[in-house]
Amino acid sequence: MLALRLTRAARPAVHLRRLLVAAAAAGTGFLLLSALGYAMVHPTHSTAALLRLAWCLGPLAATVYLAIAVARTDPGTRPRPGLSALGLGPGRLMAVAALNTALACTLGSLVALLVFLHLRGDLTGMPFDGAAKDFLAANRSLPVPAALTLLAVLPVLASAAVAVTLRPRDLPDPAARARGFGRFGAYGKRAQAETFGTYGRFGARLFGSPPRPAPPATADRAADGSAPDDSTARADAADGTGQAPADQAAPPAAASGPAALAKTPTGLPWGVAVIAAGLAVESYAGATASAPRTTLPGGLTVGPVGVLAGWALTALGLALAAPGLTHLCGRVLQAVRPGALRLLAGRVLMAEATRIGRPLGIVCAVASAGFAARTLHADGRALAFGPLTALGGLVVAGCAVATLLTAAVEARQLRADTTAALLRVGAPATVLRGAAALRTGALLAFFVPLTLLVADLAALPLAR
């Protein structure tokens, strides 16, 4: 009941995002039911049936990824002060988010079942004069347990993924409270290993050291736009541990602004390596004349089976490398004596590299696959898109774009305090809009040529 009340009281934008999840779930559910219908019509073609079922994995993963992004931007399930006293702690809010996701996916699965039954002629007469009876199994009775099992896969996976993503991370670890003996017989173990010099610094362990004054909060520096003082960093380095005391740590909200940068993403070398491996697999598959060829559901010919594996590796490599490339774009914007506009735009890109970069990499992977397919059939061969291929491509592309837009909304929500602080100190609104336009232009100028280059390299082994 609480989940239903939160769903009803949400804003129209939140309802729109949930309807997008339901629409993606409807398309994925229809693809799963179509694979079941094809297996019923062709019981001896097990390989083709498995290929159609494997074709549903892409839309399934895209829908789950969209559901996670929508759940993270839902304001009704965001922890706020005082809710724990009402029984709405982080664990309860996580359960509410998972339940909302399950409701949206279940609604989409029911719509897919109704459309599938209507096209089969179970509800009314068969439309389109029976043109789609090849994958509908209209002349056979539909196995209800198998259909319900296929339709339940998406709600279960999406709700479980949302629960894992939004699980409380600040709960005490029971293993951390286990007794143990540290170095030199010291009672208890530290979370991080200490250097040897910490124990021999002129009797620091015997007499103790006076507490240092707490450094100013990061949020105060972010509000007035000044950089952190170097003396604080030198004092932390001289302490030997590099860690501030627990009562002097900055609040989590202070780390969301552009002045408090996140650490540099480390997936760029791995992403480049995976992209190179995917292109190598495609080249080898295109050069091998005896490699088995495959045709996707709907008649789209993609050549040898290794091409699909190469495209999958290339898409994974783009997703891994995109956060690092986004961070690099932020650094380029700040190069060569930047002004306030370029500095603000670059800092925001660096701080949001992981949050924005990964959905952007997935969009680039989907676009490169589409361009590669278009380039492959540009030499006079017809580009055959059947209804199932078009539906699968529409679900994957739509989920990728919707996830990127949802991630942008999440980043804007996390920047709300910093934006309000900049406006309070007198920053013009045109500067903020100019910084947003500059970030968008920098990303487009970098990722559009990269997408076209990867698409040309992916289609090159099969074009000859």
Side-chain angles (χ1 to χ4, degrees):
M1 294 299 296
L2 178 61
L4 292 177
R5 290 179 181 178
L6 291 176
T7 302
R8 184 184 59 184
R11 297 180 179 179
V14 179
H15 286 301
L16 178 60
R17 292 195 290 266
R18 291 171 179 170
L19 287 178
L20 289 177
V21 175
T28 305
F30 188 83
L31 289 175
L32 291 172
L33 292 176
S34 301
L36 176 62
Y38 184 86
M40 293 170 57
V41 175
H42 306 87
T44 59
H45 299 170
S46 58
T47 304
L50 288 177
L51 179 61
R52 287 176 176 265
L53 191 61
W55 167 248
C56 302
L57 293 179
L60 183 65
T63 305
V64 171
Y65 194 50
L66 175 62
I68 293 174
V70 170
R72 291 179 60 176
T73 57
D74 194 347
T77 57
R78 185 175 304 164
R80 289 183 293 272
L83 291 182
S84 298
L86 302 176
L88 294 177
R92 185 74 179 276
L93 292 178
M94 177 267 295
V96 170
L99 184 57
N100 286 335
T101 304
L103 289 176
C105 294
T106 303
L107 176 62
S109 299
L110 291 179
V111 172
L113 180 60
L114 291 178
V115 172
F116 188 77
L117 293 178
H118 173 68
L119 294 179
R120 277 172 49 91
D122 295 339
L123 302 180
T124 58
M126 180 175 291
F128 307 115
D129 297 330
K133 62 182 180 180
D134 185 42
F135 58 88
L136 294 178
N139 54 351
R140 290 175 174 81
S141 60
L142 183 67
V144 179
L148 295 181
T149 301
L150 286 177
L151 292 178
V153 169
L154 179 58
V156 170
L157 288 180
S159 58
V162 168
V164 171
T165 303
L166 301 182
R167 71 187 185 277
R169 303 177 186 272
D170 55 350
L171 296 179
D173 188 6
R177 296 195 299 265
R179 295 186 176 182
F181 293 91
R183 204 161 28 182
F184 303 119
Y187 182 75
K189 291 184 178 180
R190 296 177 59 90
Q192 294 182 356
E194 295 180 347
T195 60
F196 181 80
T198 307
Y199 288 85
R201 191 178 295 120
F202 303 105
R205 294 285 175 175
L206 297 178
F207 305 103
S209 58
R212 292 182 296 133
T218 309
D220 297 336
R221 300 193 191 104
D224 57 7
S226 61
D229 191 6
D230 294 339
S231 61
T232 305
R234 288 194 297 269
D236 293 339
D239 183 61
T241 60
Q243 299 280 342
D247 54 350
Q248 299 176 7
S256 61
L261 298 179
K263 61 180 181 180
T264 304
T266 58
L268 181 58
W270 294 100
V272 174
V274 173
I275 291 175
L279 295 176
V281 169
E282 292 178 23
S283 300
Y284 179 77
T288 305
S290 60
R293 308 184 71 84
T294 181
T295 302
L296 294 179
L300 179 61
T301 303
V302 295
V305 180
V307 174
L308 290 178
W311 282 359
L313 287 176
T314 304
L316 179 61
L318 284 174
L320 290 176
L325 295 177
T326 305
H327 194 274
L328 181 61
C329 287
R331 285 190 175 275
V332 171
L333 280 179
Q334 301 175 73
V336 191
R337 303 180 63 182
L341 186 63
R342 287 199 293 137
L343 184 63
L344 181 60
R347 289 296 181 92
V348 171
L349 273 184
M350 293 173 65
E352 299 173 354
T354 303
R355 185 175 295 108
I356 297 295
R358 189 154 295 140
L360 184 59
I362 294 176
V363 170
C364 292
V366 173
S368 64
F371 280 118
R374 185 67 182 176
T375 305
L376 179 62
H377 292 263
D379 55 351
R381 290 176 288 177
L383 184 59
F385 279 109
L388 295 182
T389 302
L391 178 60
L394 181 62
V395 169
V396 172
C399 288
V401 175
T403 303
L404 178 59
L405 296 178
T406 306
V409 171
E410 181 187 6
R412 183 179 180 181
Q413 291 175 355
L414 295 177
R415 288 198 316 269
D417 296 337
T418 305
T419 303
L422 290 175
L423 292 176
R424 283 196 304 268
V425 299
T430 55
V431 173
L432 300 179
R433 289 193 294 265
L438 187 59
R439 293 195 304 269
T440 305
L443 292 177
L444 289 177
F446 186 84
F447 280 96
V448 169
L450 176 64
T451 302
L452 296 177
L453 177 62
V454 172
D456 290 339
L457 292 177
L460 186 60
L462 300 177
R464 52 177 182 265

